[in-house]
Amino acid sequence: MDCPLALVTDDGDMPWSDSHSMASEGTSAVMPTSPLWVNPVHANRMDTGQLSPISTELDMSAVCVAASSVPTMIHSATSSCAESWSTSYSEGAEPGEDSDEHDVSWEKNSDDVLTVPKIEPLEDDGFQMDDVKEAPRTPVPDPKDASAPQAKLKRPRGRPRKHPLTPQVAANKIAKGRSKTGCITCRRRKKKCDEAKPRCLNCEKNAVVCEGYHEKTIWKSGRERAEEERQKRHSLPHITLQPIFQGVETPEDMVFLNHYISHLSGVLTVEGLHKNAFKDMLLQMAVEHRGLMHSILSVASRHIDYDTPYGLKILSSNTKITLASLLHRSQFHHNAAMEKLCEPVGNESDPKNKTSLSPRYGQMLCLLLQTLAEGNPNGEHRVHLQAYKNLIQQSPPPDNALLIFITEFFQYRVFADELIRYPDLHIPRLATEDWEPWLEIQPARLIGIADGLFHYLAQITTIRNDIRANMAAEVDPVVDYNSLYRAAEIDTAIREWTPHWPPGDSRDRVGLLYKQMMWVYLFRTIYPPSSSTSSTQIPQATPSIIPLSPTSQPHSAHTPLSSERPTSSHTTPPRADSPPPIRYPPHHDHRITLAVDESLAILDSFKPSDPVQTLLLVPCLVIGCACFAPTQRERVRNAVRTVRGYTGLRNCDRVGEVLEEVWRLMERGDWARVWDWQGVARSMGLDFSCA
């Protein structure tokens, strides 16, 4: 239906409550049976559908139709909204006709009364339409504005569902993860824990030992942790850990001590690690004596060569030390050791002073070793040797084992000093020919002291000093009969000397080398270059002198010497590629060459790691001064380098310097100075210990 209907009551001026009360009474009003209701004025302002109180009330004032033209509505208390009324179009109405000409036909109910729908009252009677405002419109984005690109929704993978599931979103619900505060036992067993304290009830129920709970950790930032650590350090009391050994206080001291124990003490003796007096005696005394500990650390620090791979490894493996700190600490220990050594001994009758004698001898021994390690060329070693001789005569140490050890150690150096010391009237001679030990040296560690071989070295040196004095005074002959006779006696004693060492000990071969060395020293002494065999009467025992090596064979009396062999007047010039000729001294005897070759063969037989390398420096000096052939000299050079590499003592370098100078004098033909190598060392300003 195109035109809406307007329902007008005859009591439009009355309030809704009055009209409603009137209609609710028992009387009923009869509506006229007019076939049509026409509302031409407000047809376009009304909508079809259910009538509302607002629309009926607002439109009542605008209706200008007579009350007689409006049908009367009957409203009873028994009527309800379920009762319907219907309208129908007239049969003659066509779709093309105007909307105002439509006819409305009403079909009444069985009681021929129209039922009016119940109108609910308004909550606010003072409602005004003018107060109603239009809601704000939703802003529509401008299609021209492309600054904010729309996010493209990602299409889900897979085939779309026929009936999509509605996602259930719970805004206030938070997913709860696994609890990490359970006891240790339940977490290991992967069981739910009731987190009862102090023990889990679940563990007790299952008869399982509850291991408790982890300590609760609170996250802290790095700054908070650093501040907490700083407060802990400040809150802790300050303690000072005293050194466990007197004198060993710094990381540098530990480096020196480790070097002494693991390296230096092993190269100073041939006994081995299990019977090492440098550790068993000296180190035990140093634990209780501060001065001896300073001496041990001082000699160990001077022995390390920081230019070798061993020294570089020490520097690289210890990050807390530097080369400067090591040198500074080394000097500190040397000064402290000298200060303790110079303290007065006190009353000898005091038992405390007697016990301090042993550490004092240990300090003197360490200071002597320090001169060897440094290669001191100023004769400082002789100061310590002289101090030993003075002290040992007045106050020997109470310990017999220590007395035997230091006696052999010092006396070996005293005798070896004869090979370098130049005689001087102002400096007393340390070695004596009639020296005898206070106690029997048993067990023997070195060669030449306990067996008495070095007594012959002192006697030969006495003969050499007399010959040197005769040469300086131009006495003819320089080798008198008395010297030759004494040489014959020494030769006989050397031949009878035999080393006694256990089978398999390398010192057995070293003993043969020392025996051969002693013979070479004697032969070179009694045949100076200025002497003439024709003008010198040789004792009967002298022609029988032969090399003493077991491998040598006695020479026949008919075998002509090299100086007696006839020489041809025609000489063949040397080839360009041949080595230069060997220059021998006048009246050279081939027996000395044979003895040198045999000695070098023994030197070459020792391995570089053999402990007897400690005893080979003295033979290298004596045998090297008798090497006239270049091949012999090269073998001696290698032997000296091997001793230097094993012991690490720098006095080996001083021996090499003296030998090089002697060999240079051989090339020049200065045979008088070649014979007197003690004078060569003095001219070079070298005064050192060759042991």
Side-chain angles (χ1 to χ4, degrees):
M1 149 172 141
D2 296 338
C3 181
L5 299 179
L7 181 62
V8 182
T9 60
D10 54 351
D11 51 356
D13 297 335
M14 299 175 60
W16 184 86
S17 60
D18 297 341
S19 63
H20 181 61
S21 60
M22 291 175 61
S24 62
E25 294 178 356
T27 59
S28 61
V30 179
M31 182 178 293
T33 60
S34 176
L36 293 174
W37 289 6
V38 180
N39 190 3
V41 179
H42 300 283
N44 58 349
R45 295 177 55 185
M46 297 183 63
D47 296 331
T48 60
Q50 185 178 359
L51 299 179
S52 66
I54 299 177
S55 61
T56 56
E57 187 176 357
L58 293 177
D59 294 339
M60 282 182 183
S61 60
V63 177
C64 301
V65 184
S68 60
S69 62
V70 179
T72 304
M73 293 182 295
I74 300 174
H75 181 78
S76 62
T78 59
S79 63
S80 63
C81 297
E83 298 178 357
S84 62
W85 53 341
S86 61
T87 59
S88 61
Y89 297 101
S90 60
E91 295 179 358
E94 298 293 334
E97 295 180 357
D98 295 336
S99 60
D100 55 354
E101 295 181 357
H102 288 294
D103 297 335
V104 180
S105 60
W106 296 81
E107 294 182 0
K108 298 182 180 180
N109 292 334
S110 60
D111 53 358
D112 295 334
V113 178
L114 288 175
T115 304
V116 181
K118 183 178 179 181
I119 300 175
E120 298 292 337
L122 292 175
E123 295 181 358
D124 189 4
D125 295 339
F127 177 79
Q128 298 295 333
M129 194 64 181
D130 297 335
D131 296 337
V132 180
K133 296 182 180 180
E134 184 179 3
R137 298 183 178 180
T138 305
V140 180
D142 189 2
K144 297 181 180 180
D145 188 7
S147 60
Q150 297 180 357
K152 184 178 180 180
L153 297 177
K154 184 177 180 181
R155 180 180 177 275
R157 297 178 59 185
R159 183 178 179 182
R161 302 178 66 92
K162 184 176 182 181
H163 303 287
L165 298 177
T166 303
Q168 298 180 0
V169 179
N172 298 330
K173 186 176 181 180
I174 301 176
K176 184 177 180 181
R178 293 182 60 188
S179 174
K180 297 183 180 180
T181 57
C183 69
I184 301 175
T185 306
C186 290
R187 288 176 58 83
R188 186 186 299 112
R189 298 176 64 231
K190 298 182 180 181
K191 301 294 183 181
K192 183 175 179 60
C193 181
D194 56 6
E195 302 185 12
K197 303 295 177 62
R199 292 181 297 275
C200 171
L201 299 179
N202 189 20
C203 294
E204 292 185 356
K205 182 180 66 176
N206 294 304
V208 178
V209 178
C210 182
E211 300 181 16
Y213 300 85
H214 289 290
E215 183 180 357
K216 186 177 181 181
T217 57
I218 302 176
W219 183 88
K220 295 181 180 180
S221 62
R223 182 177 299 177
E224 292 175 347
R225 290 195 299 269
E227 181 65 20
E228 185 178 356
E229 291 294 334
R230 187 185 64 81
Q231 292 179 358
K232 287 182 180 179
R233 287 195 300 267
H234 287 290
S235 62
L236 292 176
H238 179 70
I239 61 174
T240 303
L241 296 178
Q242 299 297 329
I244 190 172
F245 300 124
Q246 298 183 20
V248 186
E249 303 171 354
T250 63
E252 291 81 5
D253 299 343
M254 287 302 303
V255 171
F256 300 152
L257 183 61
N258 293 334
H259 175 70
Y260 178 84
I261 295 175
S262 61
H263 186 73
L264 179 58
S265 61
V267 302
L268 295 177
T269 181
V270 295
E271 295 176 297
L273 299 177
H274 301 288
K275 296 185 299 181
N276 193 333
F278 291 93
K279 290 192 299 184
D280 299 339
M281 296 184 183
L282 295 186
L283 199 58
Q284 295 295 330
M285 292 187 296
V287 173
E288 302 176 358
H289 193 273
R290 191 181 187 91
L292 181 55
M293 180 61 74
H294 285 303
S295 301
I296 289 178
L297 298 180
S298 178
V299 65
S301 64
R302 304 301 174 90
H303 181 261
I304 301 176
D305 190 356
Y306 299 103
D307 295 332
T308 60
Y310 176 80
L312 296 176
K313 182 180 179 180
I314 291 178
L315 293 174
S316 61
S317 60
N318 297 272
T319 58
K320 298 181 180 180
I321 63 175
T322 59
L323 179 59
S325 65
L326 290 172
L327 298 178
H328 174 74
R329 198 64 184 173
S330 173
Q331 187 63 34
F332 165 78
H333 288 298
H334 176 72
N335 297 337
M338 294 301 298
E339 182 180 355
K340 282 287 185 180
L341 182 63
C342 295
E343 291 181 355
V345 178
N347 188 8
E348 297 181 1
S349 60
D350 191 355
K352 295 182 179 179
N353 295 332
K354 289 185 178 180
T355 57
S356 63
L357 283 175
S358 297
R360 186 174 293 269
Y361 280 104
Q363 284 190 264
M364 295 166 57
L365 185 147
C366 291
L367 292 175
L368 177 60
L369 288 176
Q370 184 171 322
T371 61
L372 305 181
E374 294 177 339
N376 187 284
N378 302 324
E380 186 178 340
H381 69 286
R382 198 169 290 112
V383 176
H384 304 298
L385 293 176
Q386 186 64 49
Y388 154 75
K389 291 182 66 68
N390 297 335
L391 186 61
I392 198 69
Q393 294 175 0
Q394 300 175 2
S395 303
D399 187 3
N400 291 336
L402 180 64
L403 176 60
I404 293 174
F405 168 66
I406 63 174
T407 298
E408 186 179 26
F409 178 86
F410 279 100
Q411 203 63 38
Y412 180 84
R413 271 78 186 172
V414 167
F415 283 119
D417 187 55
E418 296 289 301
L419 298 175
I420 290 295
R421 175 186 172 273
Y422 192 83
D424 191 350
L425 298 178
H426 303 286
I427 302 176
R429 183 181 177 184
L430 297 178
T432 56
E433 301 178 12
D434 56 350
W435 176 84
E436 292 294 336
W438 292 272
L439 295 176
E440 182 183 1
I441 300 178
Q442 188 68 29
R445 298 176 177 86
L446 304 177
I447 297 177
I449 305 302
D451 48 34
L453 182 64
F454 273 13
H455 288 82
Y456 311 132
L457 187 145
Q459 297 173 12
I460 297 172
T461 303
T462 302
I463 298 175
R464 175 175 283 262
N465 293 338
D466 295 340
I467 295 176
R468 184 184 292 109
N470 293 338
M471 293 174 63
E474 297 182 355
V475 176
D476 190 22
V478 293
V479 183
D480 56 7
Y481 181 83
N482 187 24
S483 299
L484 293 176
Y485 186 79
R486 293 176 59 190
E489 292 180 345
I490 296 173
D491 173 68
T492 303
I494 292 175
R495 293 173 183 276
E496 295 177 355
W497 182 86
T498 304
H500 299 282
W501 297 101
D505 196 329
S506 299
R507 284 175 287 185
D508 197 12
R509 284 182 295 162
V510 178
L512 295 177
L513 178 62
Y514 270 64
K515 187 175 183 178
Q516 188 78 291
M517 173 201 72
M518 204 64 64
W519 183 89
V520 172
Y521 186 42
L522 175 63
F523 191 90
R524 291 274 293 153
T525 297
I526 64 175
Y527 287 106
S530 59
S531 64
S532 176
T533 55
S534 59
S535 61
T536 304
Q537 297 294 333
I538 301 177
Q540 185 177 0
T542 303
S544 62
I545 298 177
I546 58 174
L548 303 176
S549 176
T551 58
S552 61
Q553 299 293 334
H555 295 277
S556 172
H558 302 284
T559 304
L561 300 178
S562 60
S563 58
E564 300 174 355
R565 293 174 182 174
T567 56
S568 174
S569 59
H570 176 73
T571 58
T572 304
R575 298 180 181 178
D577 55 348
S578 62
I582 301 175
R583 190 168 187 175
Y584 291 103
H587 312 290
H588 177 68
D589 196 330
H590 75 285
R591 292 177 294 178
I592 192 68
T593 303
L594 181 61
V596 169
D597 289 338
E598 292 176 350
S599 301
L600 293 178
I602 299 176
L603 277 175
D604 296 340
S605 65
F606 298 112
K607 297 180 180 180
S609 59
D610 199 322
V612 297
Q613 293 287 344
T614 307
L615 306 175
L616 301 183
L617 188 60
V618 173
C620 286
L621 176 63
V622 178
I623 300 299
C625 291
C627 293
F628 301 101
T631 56
Q632 295 175 339
R633 300 171 190 172
E634 188 61 30
R635 295 169 70 181
V636 173
R637 286 192 187 98
N638 295 333
V640 173
R641 293 193 197 102
T642 304
V643 176
R644 171 69 166 87
Y646 177 79
T647 62
L649 301 177
R650 296 177 181 85
N651 64 333
C652 301
D653 301 335
R654 304 294 175 262
V655 172
E657 294 175 10
V658 173
L659 290 177
E660 293 293 340
E661 180 64 19
V662 171
W663 294 335
R664 189 181 64 84
L665 294 174
M666 288 181 181
E667 297 296 334
R668 293 172 53 185
D670 194 350
W671 304 113
R673 296 193 63 191
V674 169
W675 178 85
D676 187 13
W677 65 77
Q678 289 95 338
V680 173
R682 183 187 182 188
S683 64
M684 298 175 63
L686 299 178
D687 188 5
F688 59 95
S689 175
C690 62

